[in-house]
Structure formats: C-alpha cells, structure tokens
Amino acid sequence: MARPRTELPLSSRVLGMPVARFLREYWQKKPLLVRGAFPEFRDPISPDELAGLSCEEGVESRIVREKGGAHPWEVTWGPHPEERFGELPERGWTILVQELNRHLPEAALLLEPFSFIPNVRVDDVMVSYAAPGGSVGAHLDSYDVFLVQGMGKRRWQYHEKPTKDVRLVPDLDLRILARFVPEADEVLSAGDMLYLPPGFAHYGVAVTECLTYSVGFRAPSAGEMWKDFVARAASVPEATKLLVDPPLGAGKPPGEIPKAMLERVREAIRSMDTSNDAIDRWFASFATRLGPGRELTPPSRPLGEAKITSRLERGDVVMRSEEGRWAYLPSSRGALRLYVGGLELDVPAGAADLARLLSSARRFDGAELGRLARSRAARSFIVRLFDLGALRFGPRASGR
C-alpha cells in the first residue's frame, strides 16, 4: 500500500480528518465515506491467489451464490477443491476468506492505519472477491468495520442511522434482512473506504469483478467475558476445595436449604480473587487471544541470541506474529506485563520501551529494535519473543 508523502499522520490521511474528530463524531455513531483514503492502492493478493488460499486446510473461507446453487443464497465452506472454481458462473458469486492478516503479512499491514483503536479490539482483515453481481445480501454486523476497496468497483447501499427492522429472511444459510430500504447509495473504486458502525445495515454488490477488504474491530459481549472469567477463576487450586457443611440440625425439612450453608456458599464464591488487578490481568489475557487453534508456534530451531543480535544489527525486517493480539499493562517500578495471544510475559523496566514499541506496529527495522535491545534485560526479552514465535524475521518491506 503506497503511502503518500505528507506531514499528516497516516490515520488522519486515511480518515480524511483528524483522528480526534473521527472518534468524536463518527466512531460507533454514523458511517463515513472517504474517497481516495488509500491513494495508489495495491492489492496484497490477486483473485487467483485468493482462490488458491481458500483451497488450503486451516483457512476459513466460503463461497456464496445468490442464485444457481442448491437453494437461494447457498454457502459452501472451504477448503474448496480447485475444480469448483471452474464450475462457477461468470456472475453472481462471492468468495470470502477470514483472517487474511494471519496468512499474508502484507494484508496485516492494512491494520496499521487504524492503530488509534486499541489492539484488543482488532478482529481481523477479511477479504472478499466478487464476480460482477456478487453479494452476500443486505445484513447487519456486530462489529465496527472499515471497508477498503481494492481492484474493481463495488456499490454499497447502507443506512445512515441504526437499523431498527432487524427481521431476517427465514431458512437461509446467511442472516439476510427481510426488508432493506437504503438511505445512502455509493460506488467505491480502488482506494476508497467506507466506515460502518455495528448495527447499520448495508448491502454491497460488485459492479465489476472486485476485491474488498473488511478491516473489522469487535468488542466481546458481557456474557462471553463472564463465562471466560468464571472458567479461569474455577481453574485455580483454591477453587477445587469442597464445600464443607455447617453443623446440621436434626429434624429439619430436607427441602429447606440451611441458612448456615448459604453463608458458607457465599463465602466460597466471594473468596475467588475478583480484585481489580485480577480482573485487569484476566481481561488482558482474554482479549489478546484469538479463537481455538490460534496460538503462537515456536520455531523448530531457535535462532539463538548471537544470530538474532547479528540480524538486528544488519537491519533485517522483524515481524510480529498474527496468532494473537499484543497489549500491555503497567507493573511496578517501570516494568510492564506484555500480553501476546493470551500469554502474560513479565517485562523488566529495562525492556519496557522495547515492549511498547513492539505493541505499536507490525513490521520493524531490525536496527531500530537492536538499539532498544542493548541492555542485558532487553536482549533476553527479545530473544524470548523470538523463541516463543511471537517475533520472526521477514522479507524487507515491499512498499505496499
């Protein structure tokens, strides 16, 4: 993705306004269309490469056909056999691939312009290729999304106020709104961007064959958080202690729960650590994890400190793993707790600046990291991140 030379911060250029104004007037309030948000936009993937990716195991993908399938709005989940693409018609179908940022480093860089949003809110970069007329119907999302147009043109019809009529067409593979009357109607070309808050209905149809990148930000529900917190609290050794009966009295009705027993139950539940510190650390771990099966993978052969230091000094490119989000909490005396993919890592004060920098972007110049890793504590910490698979050396930046 080419970045125009200007004094404005990247986020402001993409949004077409200062970030503070966007957050105040648009974020989770109303849609925003930005023409030319990404000048000279270059797709990080081609339609043929996307089709090939959707044939691989471990890649979440689906093909949507409004007509011509076994039933209206048929969804076929991947991995797809290669011959399926030769059977598709010239019009009216879409292929979608989730988590493109995990599979393609260049796609992960699409998240960089939106770094004014906390890392723990990042969902993924989804990409869709649509043949002319291709669509997934009028629908609602439960997350904030920036729709970045790649090659081709796509027409977006959408609501400018939160959608009230959320009734769905029954018995479909997709959650398509039964009634949709657009309030805005725009055609996006390469480099244009449309922001939509959650709960705003939208309907995209390919005017020409096109690629669209959905940069999504999701917040967990209260139920998700409570369920995970309780599961974690129940896993500590203290939680395995059995409830001990209070002195029981003879002749009591068996259906009555003794008050003394209820008191002991309350004490047992309240004994769980629900301090602010415990909740904060749980949330940092919870919010940096991805879904099941998404975890850091250590390298089969660790590089070792000497080789890592040499490559940093040489200025090799360093890339973060996309198998988890990155965030941190302050600790005591200038130290930090860094969270990567659910792991909690203690960061000494001498490596705190390094941890902050690593949490701020996805691709780094090795020489810059090397300058921050001169102390013994910082060198040990960066080696540990490489050994965990949280960092790796990658190709030099392509200029996209």
Side-chain angles (χ1 to χ4, degrees), residues 355-372:
R356 291 188 188 94
L357 178 63
L358 290 170
S359 300
S360 69
R362 285 173 161 74
R363 178 177 284 176
F364 306 89
D365 173 65
E368 181 182 8
L369 294 184
R371 285 191 290 272
L372 288 174

Side-chain angles (χ1 to χ4, degrees), residues 125-278:
V125 177
M126 183 187 76
V127 60
S128 66
Y129 166 82
S135 175
V136 296
H139 64 283
L140 294 169
D141 289 327
S142 58
Y143 49 85
D144 297 271
V145 63
F146 296 89
L147 298 163
V148 179
Q149 187 58 39
M151 60 165 273
K153 296 179 182 293
R154 187 185 288 267
R155 179 186 183 189
W156 285 104
Q157 297 176 302
Y158 54 95
H159 285 172
E160 295 183 313
K161 296 179 181 178
T163 301
K164 295 181 179 180
D165 188 348
V166 297
R167 292 173 295 174
L168 303 175
V169 179
D171 304 321
L172 294 181
D173 293 342
L174 295 174
R175 295 173 60 84
I176 294 179
L177 294 171
R179 183 174 182 271
F180 174 71
V181 179
E183 297 167 344
D185 191 334
E186 303 284 352
V187 174
L188 272 63
S189 301
D192 293 342
M193 181 184 75
L194 174 63
Y195 162 70
L196 292 166
F200 284 68
H202 49 287
Y203 181 25
V205 180
V207 178
T208 66
E209 65 168 338
C210 66
L211 287 166
T212 304
Y213 304 86
S214 301
V215 183
F217 295 85
R218 183 179 179 273
S221 69
E224 287 178 277
M225 292 190 291
W226 181 246
K227 182 178 179 181
D228 192 271
F229 180 77
V230 170
R232 179 157 176 169
S235 67
V236 300
E238 293 79 4
T240 62
K241 294 180 180 178
L242 299 179
L243 180 68
V244 178
D245 286 339
L248 301 177
K252 294 288 185 179
E256 179 184 342
I257 303 176
K259 290 183 178 179
M261 183 178 290
L262 289 176
E263 285 294 335
R264 294 203 173 184
V265 169
R266 293 168 190 160
E267 290 174 6
I269 297 299
R270 289 169 181 154
S271 70
M272 298 292 187
D273 186 358
T274 56
S275 64
N276 287 345
D277 182 66

Side-chain angles (χ1 to χ4, degrees), residues 5-255:
R5 296 182 180 180
T6 171
E7 296 301 317
L8 289 174
L10 178 58
S11 299
S12 297
R13 296 200 304 268
V14 169
L15 297 170
M17 66 181 68
V19 170
R21 180 186 168 195
F22 172 78
L23 293 174
R24 182 176 64 251
E25 298 181 14
Y26 292 92
W27 180 247
Q28 299 194 323
K29 298 179 182 69
K30 59 183 179 181
L32 173 67
L33 173 65
V34 184
R35 298 288 185 188
F38 294 90
E40 303 176 25
F41 184 87
R42 293 172 58 192
D43 290 283
I45 194 168
S46 70
D48 286 343
E49 290 169 335
L50 182 64
L53 187 62
S54 74
C55 298
E56 296 180 11
E57 292 285 348
V59 176
E60 184 180 341
S61 65
R62 53 201 159 124
I63 295 174
V64 176
R65 296 181 65 181
E66 180 179 357
K67 300 175 182 177
H71 49 79
W73 296 107
E74 178 192 55
V75 177
T76 306
W77 290 89
H80 307 285
E82 291 184 16
E83 56 269 22
R84 178 165 295 157
F85 293 97
E87 300 167 353
L88 292 169
E90 294 184 1
R91 296 182 56 84
W93 62 275
T94 299
I95 180 170
L96 304 100
V97 172
Q98 300 287 153
E99 297 182 314
L100 187 66
N101 52 300
R102 290 183 57 242
H103 306 295
L104 188 66
E106 293 294 337
L109 296 181
L110 276 169
L111 287 158
E112 297 291 75
F114 308 104
S115 58
F116 57 90
I117 303 168
N119 290 344
V120 293
R121 290 277 275 105
V122 172
D123 189 16
D124 73 342
V125 177
M126 183 187 76
V127 60
S128 66
Y129 166 82
S135 175
V136 296
H139 64 283
L140 294 169
D141 289 327
S142 58
Y143 49 85
D144 297 271
V145 63
F146 296 89
L147 298 163
V148 179
Q149 187 58 39
M151 60 165 273
K153 296 179 182 293
R154 187 185 288 267
R155 179 186 183 189
W156 285 104
Q157 297 176 302
Y158 54 95
H159 285 172
E160 295 183 313
K161 296 179 181 178
T163 301
K164 295 181 179 180
D165 188 348
V166 297
R167 292 173 295 174
L168 303 175
V169 179
D171 304 321
L172 294 181
D173 293 342
L174 295 174
R175 295 173 60 84
I176 294 179
L177 294 171
R179 183 174 182 271
F180 174 71
V181 179
E183 297 167 344
D185 191 334
E186 303 284 352
V187 174
L188 272 63
S189 301
D192 293 342
M193 181 184 75
L194 174 63
Y195 162 70
L196 292 166
F200 284 68
H202 49 287
Y203 181 25
V205 180
V207 178
T208 66
E209 65 168 338
C210 66
L211 287 166
T212 304
Y213 304 86
S214 301
V215 183
F217 295 85
R218 183 179 179 273
S221 69
E224 287 178 277
M225 292 190 291
W226 181 246
K227 182 178 179 181
D228 192 271
F229 180 77
V230 170
R232 179 157 176 169
S235 67
V236 300
E238 293 79 4
T240 62
K241 294 180 180 178
L242 299 179
L243 180 68
V244 178
D245 286 339
L248 301 177
K252 294 288 185 179

